[in-house]
Amino acid sequence: MKILVPVKRVVDYNVKIRVKADGSGVDLANVKMSMNPFDEISVEEAVRLKEAGIATEIVVVSIGPQQAQETLRTSLAMGADRALLIKTDETVEPLGVAKLLKAVVDEEQPGLVIVGKQAIDDDSNQTGQMLAALLGWPQAAFASKIEVEGDEATITREIDGGSQTIKVTLPAVMTADLRLNEPRYASLPNIMKAKKKPLDTKEAADYGLDIAPRLEVLSTAEPAARKAGIKVETVAELVDKLKNEAGVL
Ligand code: AMP
């Protein structure tokens, strides 16, 4: 079985985000970019399924600028076999991404697509669900455990206050949640080997799909700054403030 894993290049999760002065978006100049953390989890899961003899090939795909090649190389160093960069310098929203991914699925015919549950830049949490809908395939979102047997998969899903176990028939789309696994670090020899693995590049425009943005960003704002704390003299004063000012007692 072939597994397709979409990986997105996003602002590194450790970076302190700066909003552009005109509020039109986030300042990306000289900012460290990395693979979306949920996509690292998806790649790891695919590699584990290959190590377990369930998957035969892992194809990773990224939609983005030329530099997204680095994200693909990282996936190859983690254990993916082949990569495809769908190049564009424009913003592609989840619906556009899902349309392009559907075209890749039609071409590659994977048995499983493991998408990250959410990209940490747009926080949309839409792409996997939209892709499943466009394909007419079953979906298992927020997976924290994946077990594949024949043409079925049993998935444990993270839900509010607990978990849910469902069975889907393959091919299917799954989205990876935080607890699915802990991704490995690519070793130096594997980083070197990844340089020789195949990486194809195509232009997004060549797919002939309508991937124009549907949304207009009206404003972007930093979270309100935290107010400084105060010192109280006595426990009685603290209790009084918690009761009468904060209203938490
Ligand atoms: P989102 O719906 O934007 O929160 O993204 C959810 C997931 O969709 C990500 O974790 C990726 O697996 C995939 N995805 C979104 N955008 C891209 C992209 N430009 N290239 C590759 N995969 C993407």
Side-chain angles (χ1 to χ4, degrees):
M1 177 177 70
K2 191 192 281 187
I3 301 183
L4 183 73
V5 184
V7 294
K8 187 177 188 186
R9 178 178 184 265
V10 297
V11 175
D12 187 271
Y13 73 99
N14 280 311
V15 167
K16 167 111 179 55
I17 297 296
R18 288 187 314 261
V19 171
K20 285 186 192 163
D22 63 0
S24 63
V26 167
D27 189 359
L28 294 179
N30 302 316
V31 165
K32 182 175 182 226
M33 306 290 283
S34 300
M35 192 190 316
N36 182 44
F38 291 105
D39 302 347
E40 284 184 8
I41 296 174
S42 305
V43 174
E44 174 67 33
E45 195 63 18
V47 174
R48 288 187 191 188
L49 286 167
K50 192 174 171 201
E51 285 168 348
I54 292 162
T56 46
E57 191 186 23
I58 303 164
V59 181
V60 283
V61 54
S62 192
I63 297 148
Q66 184 66 30
Q67 297 92 314
Q69 266 205 8
E70 294 159 20
T71 313
L72 290 167
R73 287 278 173 220
T74 306
S75 316
L76 294 172
M78 286 174 72
D81 298 292
R82 194 152 64 73
L84 170 64
L85 170 65
I86 302 182
K87 223 174 93 185
T88 173
D89 289 320
E90 306 298 324
T91 300
V92 188
E93 290 171 357
L95 179 61
V97 172
K99 286 182 184 177
L100 288 165
L101 291 177
K102 179 183 181 296
V104 177
V105 168
D106 290 345
E107 213 168 276
E108 294 281 351
Q109 301 284 316
L112 183 59
V113 185
I114 310 181
V115 186
K117 84 156 175 185
Q118 173 172 340
I120 63 163
D121 52 0
D122 61 18
D123 278 339
S124 294
N125 175 3
Q126 295 173 355
T127 306
Q129 294 87 330
M130 285 178 169
L131 175 63
L134 291 177
L135 288 165
W137 284 10
Q139 61 169 299
F142 317 128
S144 58
K145 191 169 175 201
I146 298 177
E147 284 171 308
V148 178
E149 226 188 296
D151 63 353
E152 278 184 343
T154 307
I155 316 291
T156 305
R157 306 180 55 229
E158 300 271 322
I159 56 168
D160 268 356
S163 63
Q164 180 188 52
T165 303
I166 60 168
K167 201 171 250 188
V168 294
T169 47
L170 302 177
V173 176
M174 286 163 208
T175 77
D177 214 321
L178 200 62
R179 272 185 276 264
L180 184 59
N181 60 49
E182 251 185 60
R184 69 194 65 191
Y185 288 104
S187 66
L188 191 59
N190 284 344
I191 293 173
M192 301 312 286
K193 266 191 237 159
K195 292 187 181 170
K196 295 206 182 90
K197 290 187 179 176
L199 194 160
D200 258 11
T201 302
K202 291 188 179 166
E203 295 292 330
D206 291 349
Y207 285 84
L209 295 165
D210 174 10
I211 54 167
R214 287 349 189 218
L215 304 175
E216 184 192 347
V217 176
L218 299 181
S219 67
T220 314
E222 306 238 2
R226 270 184 80 182
K227 283 196 205 133
I230 54 159
K231 278 189 182 162
V232 290
E233 299 294 332
T234 61
V235 172
E237 190 189 344
L238 173 65
V239 172
D240 177 66
K241 284 196 184 299
L242 290 175
K243 225 186 228 169
N244 301 316
E245 285 180 26
V248 293
L249 287 183

